[in-house]
Amino acid sequence: MSDDTGLFEHARHATALRHHGYCTDDVARGLVVASREQHPAHRLTRLIECYLAFLTHAQDRSGAFRNRLTFDRRWSDQPGVGDWWGRAMWGLGTAAARISAPWIRKEALRAFTLGAEQRSPHPRAMAFAGLGAAEVLRADPDSTVAAALLMDAVEAIGAPSENPSWPWPQPHLTYANAALAEVIIAAGDLRDDRQLLSVGLRMLTWLCDIQTRNGRLSVVPAAGWRQDAPRSRYDQQPIEVAALADACATALATGDPSWREKARLAVAWFQGANDSGVPMWDPATGGGYDGLTEQGPNLNQGAESTIALISTMQHARRLS
């Protein structure tokens, strides 16, 4: 799914659909998972350099990012601070904190610092950016830029409702829901704020509980779920499962071993412990299927779903 420019967004089965081009969203996701590898081979380091070059090219002087690049390398949108800004900040923060190559760390941190001059009005964009800020703070606890961004992300997410049946900051669940809880957990842990940490852990506990059925994950589908409304069962998206795995791994790092089993539910979902009892990846290609429908997997293997698979299996390796 990658070439010397970036990461293709869509695929038909395992074949990249070049006419859909590239997007900052997916390149940033790719940078996150590639940067998590502790000892990247030379080929992976070159891929990291490619993704980083894409993101710095997407960024303008204000710190905002363009999102969509056509196959003939033309931007089709204007710089903004939507979800793609947040994910770019997540990718840059992860690379700045984890990559051993000093030239990559330096350039990623430069772009992260520029991007941190912006704020988004969208809570999820702020949540993704907050995850990047948390990565920077783990590597450099004295980073005032990252600390300010992280706490602004917590504020943008808001406090959960006091309704015990819906202890969530918003009246509906949409996508990558666990990222909101993960940011609050990370902020509470990094700031040694036990109250904030407890809030994030309660949010994640509730989210895991409502998405577990008969001992397996059954995540909120693409249509979302609104408080006091019926909940659809399909179309479940791999990004939901990967977000849960990430959040559970962050919660596990705070010292409670019970999160290990919750993270393993996410791994099992890809392996077939889901509502249709089918694997959600193709062992022949290594690609992740695009969604779990009532008829079974959507066999297309786009970037978002494949990266969600890789991200979750990175946690599986650590859990073992």
Side-chain angles (χ1 to χ4, degrees):
M1 294 293 289
S2 297
D3 64 2
D4 61 353
T5 297
L7 183 63
F8 292 110
E9 183 176 9
H10 293 296
R12 180 181 296 112
H13 291 186
T15 303
L17 296 176
R18 294 184 175 185
H19 65 276
H20 285 287
Y22 319 84
C23 70
T24 294
D25 254 335
D26 288 333
V27 173
R29 291 182 177 108
L31 185 57
V32 169
V33 298
S35 298
R36 286 174 173 175
E37 290 297 306
Q38 292 186 348
H39 305 290
H42 176 70
R43 183 178 178 184
L44 184 57
T45 299
R46 294 301 302 272
L47 202 59
I48 290 168
E49 292 175 331
C50 174
Y51 294 162
L52 178 58
F54 184 102
L55 294 182
T56 56
H57 180 49
Q59 190 176 39
D60 74 356
R61 293 180 180 178
S62 75
F65 290 84
R66 296 178 176 88
N67 188 33
R68 299 201 170 276
L69 186 71
T70 62
F71 183 60
D72 61 356
R73 299 185 180 183
R74 297 175 186 269
W75 292 108
S76 61
D77 61 351
Q78 296 300 313
V81 290
D83 281 5
W84 59 93
W85 167 82
R87 288 200 176 94
M89 294 294 288
W90 186 6
L92 292 168
T94 307
R98 300 200 188 200
I99 297 298
S100 60
W103 66 91
I104 295 177
R105 289 200 316 272
K106 182 177 179 180
E107 181 63 13
L109 184 59
R110 184 205 65 80
F112 174 88
T113 302
L114 177 60
E117 295 180 10
Q118 293 281 352
R119 295 292 185 270
S120 175
H122 308 295
R124 271 172 180 71
M126 288 297 294
F128 300 140
L131 293 175
E135 290 280 358
V136 172
L137 279 172
R138 291 184 186 107
D140 178 12
D142 295 327
S143 173
T144 56
V145 170
L149 179 57
L150 178 58
M151 294 315 297
D152 284 350
V154 170
E155 183 176 353
I157 291 166
S161 165
E162 295 182 3
N163 182 347
S165 67
W166 194 273
W168 198 252
Q170 295 139 12
H172 58 282
L173 298 173
T174 54
Y175 58 96
N177 296 292
L180 277 64
E182 184 183 1
V183 167
I184 296 174
I185 292 168
D189 188 40
L190 288 164
R191 290 174 59 88
D192 198 23
D193 185 332
R194 307 310 295 178
Q195 182 177 357
L196 190 60
L197 176 60
S198 178
V199 168
L201 292 172
R202 285 199 306 271
M203 286 173 58
L204 184 58
T205 297
W206 175 76
L207 194 62
C208 288
D209 288 347
I210 64 167
Q211 296 189 109
T212 303
R213 177 185 296 155
N214 299 325
R216 61 175 182 265
L217 280 186
S218 180
V219 296
V220 171
W225 181 32
R226 185 168 291 275
Q227 184 178 5
D228 299 326
R231 174 178 161 186
S232 299
R233 195 169 181 179
Y234 302 100
D235 178 25
Q236 295 179 32
Q237 300 290 297
I239 187 177
E240 295 303 318
V241 181
L244 272 175
D246 280 348
C248 289
T250 296
L252 177 63
T254 67
D256 183 350
S258 68
W259 290 103
R260 186 181 305 274
E261 291 307 314
K262 291 181 174 65
R264 284 178 172 150
L265 289 178
V267 176
W269 186 89
F270 281 100
Q271 295 172 332
N274 52 54
D275 283 337
S276 295
V278 294
M280 285 299 295
W281 70 294
D282 183 350
T285 65
Y289 294 138
D290 275 358
L292 184 63
T293 74
E294 195 168 359
Q295 291 74 40
N298 175 341
L299 298 178
N300 294 329
Q301 299 165 36
E304 177 184 291
S305 302
T306 295
I307 293 169
L309 167 71
I310 294 170
S311 172
T312 305
M313 293 307 159
Q314 285 178 320
H315 293 307
R317 184 176 61 200
R318 298 185 186 105
L319 292 169
S320 65

